[in-house]
Amino acid sequence: MGYGLVKDEGSVFIEKEATENTYQAEQSGASAVEVLSDGLEFSPSKELLERNNRTSTVETVVSRVGQKSMAGTVPTEFKAAATEGAEPETGALYEALLGGKDVLVERTSLTGHSTTKIFLSAGDELQYKKGHIVKIKQSEISGEDHISPIAEVDSTLGVESITLLIPYGVAFSDNVKVAAGINYFHDSDAPTLSITNYLGGEIREKAIGMRPVSGELSQFATGQLPEFSFSLEGLGYEREVGQPLFSPAYDSQDGAEPPVVLCSKVYKDSTELTLNSLSISITNTLGFLTSTASCQGKISSRITQMSCGFTINPYMEDDDVDLFNLFDNNEGFSIFGSSNNYGASDDQKEQVVAFYMPNCRIPEIATGDEDGILTDQINGT
């Protein structure tokens, strides 16, 4: 018998389940996720069934236990893969949280672009959707790369194009490339996950049929390293003696790093905001299907509702009250932001992470301050 398992000698592997509630062991080292050391936890439980019987004493009757449950939190760095267009190691978590994933391949544009419109060969525009976030590789010609959501896709014969929400400073160069990338978005086809947590590298803990009930972007603040944490609930659990089937192969081994939140712009519609921090929360409501025939009770789960919220603290303007008017008139707007690392020059933006919420509202606004400088403290949905 031995003791002394070391926390940071553990590893976490995540796989999408081919069949919900059927455990999927790691298939390769690439299934490993480099999690944050603090905040990682899994909590198996059983429903306690109290028995309120009268037995001629005040002693409590022995309880029984019912349905199994599993809950967990997986904190991660908010970062992209090292290779442009490759899925990050956290991809399965984002897909389970949001449900949809589009893989965009690199395209070379035509000519005659504007500051927002990029013309493409017929058919090349078909992979894009309104709301996709793309990087325009302007630095390969002259200038800096540009990141923006797509505001419109036009498939009209002869003028196939995409129109960007955020304008560039000058017209884009002829034959500029639109980079490869991965976009995750809300859809109803979210997979369930099997998560294998190796405790100290020696004990195999299995979390089965897991779905994210929330995801939170935090630390998107000036000079900080952004983080994204997932809270999950599932259908079952197991624990046994066992070591990882594969050695972890983390994105960081290929050079992936989280960006430092500097030169990281946030926009309201197409207008840049000056703020110190931002956070985003995504919440899924789960409904569980149960069966008397199941030995663990729960047999499946469904996401029945999804909601998003955000907080921002832009500095208060001294010549307008536009943000207050959005609150007062219940007007919709979009929030977009991005951060990135750099290549050979500061014009070359690499390992880009970004977010886009196209239909925001402000139900609550207050006056705050940062070191005595007034801010609009906004809680939005």
Side-chain angles (χ1 to χ4, degrees), residues 10 30-31 44 79 114 124 126 134 139 165 226 228 230 288 313-314 325 372:
S31 301
K79 65 182 180 182
S114 71
D124 281 359
L126 296 178
V134 293
S139 68
L165 175 67
F228 206 105
F230 301 84
F288 290 97
N313 63 343
N325 289 338

Side-chain angles (χ1 to χ4, degrees), residues 19-235:
T19 302
E20 183 180 2
N21 202 20
T22 299
Y23 174 68
Q24 179 68 64
E26 62 266 30
Q27 300 299 294
S28 71
S31 301
V33 174
E34 190 172 3
V35 301
L36 298 175
S37 182
D38 293 333
L40 176 70
E41 64 176 355
F42 289 93
S43 303
S45 64
K46 292 182 179 180
E47 181 184 10
L48 185 65
L49 303 175
E50 300 283 2
R51 300 168 61 204
N52 188 21
N53 295 355
R54 183 175 297 177
T55 60
S56 302
T57 86
V58 295
E59 296 177 358
T60 303
V61 179
V62 176
S63 302
R64 304 293 304 276
V65 291
Q67 298 181 69
K68 286 184 176 182
S69 295
M70 184 59 150
T73 301
V74 180
T76 69
E77 294 176 320
F78 187 46
K79 65 182 180 182
T83 303
E84 187 170 273
E87 187 166 15
E89 63 192 18
T90 49
L93 286 163
Y94 289 113
E95 194 173 350
L97 174 68
L98 294 170
K101 177 182 73 174
D102 282 339
V103 179
L104 307 180
V105 299
E106 183 177 276
R107 299 296 190 193
T108 300
S109 68
L110 299 178
T111 62
H113 312 311
S114 71
T115 59
T116 57
K117 181 167 285 191
I118 295 177
F119 293 97
L120 300 166
S121 299
D124 281 359
E125 85 286 357
L126 296 178
Q127 72 168 338
Y128 300 110
K129 298 174 184 175
K130 182 178 179 179
H132 276 168
I133 299 170
V134 293
K135 182 182 81 172
I136 311 303
K137 301 174 75 171
Q138 183 65 39
S139 68
E140 292 186 350
I141 303 172
S142 66
E144 67 174 0
D145 293 338
H146 184 63
I147 305 160
S148 173
I150 294 175
E152 182 182 355
V153 178
D154 189 349
S155 294
T156 303
L157 184 63
V159 290
E160 294 87 353
S161 63
I162 56 174
T163 299
L164 305 181
L165 175 67
I166 311 300
Y168 195 52
V170 296
F172 290 106
S173 298
D174 293 345
N175 307 124
V176 70
K177 292 178 181 177
V178 185
I182 303 282
N183 274 250
Y184 299 96
F185 57 92
H186 175 59
D187 198 12
S188 59
D189 194 25
T192 54
L193 305 175
S194 287
I195 303 177
T196 308
N197 181 28
Y198 287 96
L199 302 167
E202 301 291 342
I203 301 298
R204 181 184 294 122
E205 184 174 50
K206 303 175 183 178
I208 305 166
M210 303 293 284
R211 290 189 190 273
V213 292
S214 68
E216 182 176 358
L217 172 63
S218 61
Q219 295 296 104
F220 197 91
T222 305
Q224 301 300 306
L225 300 177
E227 299 176 0
F228 206 105
S229 182
F230 301 84
S231 295
L232 307 99
E233 294 181 7
L235 304 176

